[in-house]
Amino acid sequence: MGYEGFDSIISSKSFSNEYNMVSMNALQKLGFPDHTKLLIIHADDAGLAHSENQATMQALAKGQVNSCSIMMPCPWFYEMVEFSKHNMAYEYGIHLTLTCEWKYYKWQPVMPISEVPSLVDENGFMHRTRHAFKENATIEDVEKEAHAQIEKAFKYGLTPSHLDVHMSTLCLKPELISLYRQLGHTYKLPILLNKQLIAFFGVNPDDCLVEDDLCVDNLYVGEYKDFEKGQLTAYYAHVLENLPAGLNQILIHPAFNGREMQGITIEHPNFGAEWRQMDYDYFTSVECRSILEKNNIQLITWRMIKDILWGISS
């Protein structure tokens, strides 16, 4: 298996909370009535490429996408950070990036390789799979690299709304989840956690989450079988039509299906160029907007969550 996206390892399309260790649910912690349908429509992988950036910018400006996060080790991070400084109405998280999944398109850690040697393969690139990362990366090197990526974002003028993690690598072990939480507290930034997603990676949420953790109740990601059958947008419509009360997030990857993205995602149709174009098309569509309105879905951002949790305006 060359790539470990959500669809390649997880059969369920939604990661719904089934654990009761945390005493207060997200709506209670955020101060919303129990029947409220909260939704973040989040674009991962900003900074990956020029095409990804341009589609993300346009989806924020004219679509229903209301959140994105930037990959600081990637070559096109600077374009997205510069856009953020001139478009403060939108929100930009830091997509902590500790793996590099593509066949030919590669990146390295922000830290010098000599200081984080366990994070790279024999060619000096970040590991391609979760398995390789889990087997090789030390907690010390992960901590150094994560701090370096966040500090780099601040250095270039980003005002981050939250932290999330590329390929969910910080959910693979209890000690990594603890580090993830520590990063959020250190920088006063909310982090993306979902109990069922953690459980899927073999970690018991009851053993690693604490009462103060804010968990997304339902996390939605398209599956390859839907894309293969031409039903990806139908899946998104179904999610919106049946969205439950609680804190929900849909993860998408908007980009334009041109030569740049086709080259990056070569031999990789799952989360590939065509898929990313579909994400952009649907979440900038009239249909998407209409379904949100019809179902009384309230869009919320990580910035709003940050303000509620810490009283800190971005």
Side-chain angles (χ1 to χ4, degrees):
M1 182 188 301
Y3 170 63
E4 295 180 313
F6 283 110
D7 62 292
S8 63
I9 62 167
I10 295 175
S11 59
S12 172
K13 296 187 217 179
S14 93
F15 310 117
S16 304
N17 283 341
E18 298 175 349
Y19 297 83
N20 299 312
M21 177 270 170
V22 180
S23 60
M24 293 178 65
N25 65 31
L27 290 180
Q28 291 172 326
K29 290 186 178 187
L30 296 173
F32 287 91
D34 289 342
H35 64 273
T36 310
K37 298 179 181 181
L38 296 178
L39 176 62
I40 301 169
I41 303 176
H42 177 81
D44 267 356
D45 292 2
L48 174 71
H50 179 59
S51 170
E52 193 88 26
N53 290 349
Q54 292 299 307
T56 300
M57 293 172 189
Q58 292 187 36
L60 289 167
K62 67 179 186 179
Q64 303 310 304
V65 174
N66 66 341
S67 174
C68 73
S69 54
I70 304 173
M71 305 172 79
M72 298 309 297
C74 295
W76 280 90
F77 84 91
Y78 184 70
E79 178 185 44
M80 200 68 206
V81 171
E82 285 296 295
F83 175 82
S84 77
K85 290 189 285 187
H86 300 287
N87 295 273
M88 295 295 291
Y90 312 131
E91 78 161 18
Y92 314 87
I94 299 172
H95 199 44
L96 294 171
T97 303
L98 299 160
T99 47
C100 178
E101 68 269 40
W102 307 111
K103 182 174 182 178
Y104 298 125
Y105 187 64
K106 299 295 182 183
W107 52 78
Q108 297 178 322
V110 167
M111 290 287 290
I113 292 174
S114 60
E115 297 188 35
V116 287
S118 70
L119 302 187
V120 300
D121 62 18
E122 66 276 10
N123 295 313
F125 300 123
M126 283 186 169
H127 298 297
R128 194 173 180 187
T129 66
R130 290 187 187 91
H131 177 74
F133 169 83
K134 185 177 180 180
E135 291 298 309
N136 292 282
T138 67
I139 191 71
E140 294 79 13
D141 287 358
V142 172
E143 182 174 8
K144 285 190 286 186
E145 176 63 18
H147 278 288
Q149 291 184 22
I150 297 169
E151 293 297 334
K152 179 178 178 179
F154 282 117
K155 173 185 174 182
Y156 281 92
L158 184 70
T159 303
S161 56
H162 71 287
L163 302 175
D164 53 38
V165 186
H166 189 54
M167 294 174 63
S168 301
T169 51
L170 293 187
C171 294
L172 299 179
K173 298 179 181 180
E175 57 267 36
L176 292 172
I177 294 171
S178 295
L179 171 59
Y180 191 20
R181 178 187 301 110
Q182 176 189 327
L183 291 167
H185 283 293
T186 297
Y187 293 98
K188 294 293 188 291
L189 295 171
I191 63 175
L192 171 60
L193 289 171
N194 173 263
K195 297 175 188 176
Q196 190 177 351
L197 179 62
I198 291 171
F200 185 86
F201 292 126
V203 180
N204 186 343
D206 292 348
D207 293 338
C208 64
L209 295 177
V210 300
E211 188 171 352
D212 288 341
D213 287 334
L214 179 76
C215 290
V216 170
D217 295 311
N218 305 290
L219 181 63
Y220 298 93
V221 188
E223 287 192 48
Y224 182 68
K225 65 182 182 181
D226 292 325
F227 167 75
E228 192 174 31
K229 295 176 182 177
Q231 298 175 350
L232 185 60
T233 56
Y235 163 67
Y236 292 138
H238 178 79
V239 168
L240 295 179
E241 290 282 12
N242 297 276
L243 197 74
L247 178 58
N248 303 280
Q249 178 160 323
I250 300 176
L251 282 176
I252 65 170
H253 303 80
F256 295 125
N257 184 11
R259 292 179 64 184
E260 180 193 36
M261 193 53 60
Q262 290 167 9
I264 290 172
T265 63
I266 192 168
E267 298 180 12
H268 214 299
N270 49 326
F271 296 117
E274 185 180 356
W275 181 314
R276 291 174 188 242
Q277 180 74 58
M278 289 180 181
D279 281 357
Y280 171 83
D281 290 343
Y282 183 76
F283 287 96
T284 57
S285 69
V286 173
E287 176 188 348
C288 177
R289 181 182 296 109
S290 298
I291 296 177
L292 290 170
E293 293 173 355
K294 181 181 74 172
N295 289 279
N296 298 313
I297 295 170
Q298 182 173 335
L299 294 182
I300 188 172
T301 63
W302 283 107
R303 179 186 292 169
M304 294 166 64
I305 294 171
K306 173 183 173 183
D307 293 348
I308 292 169
L309 294 180
W310 284 292
I312 301 172
S313 296
S314 300

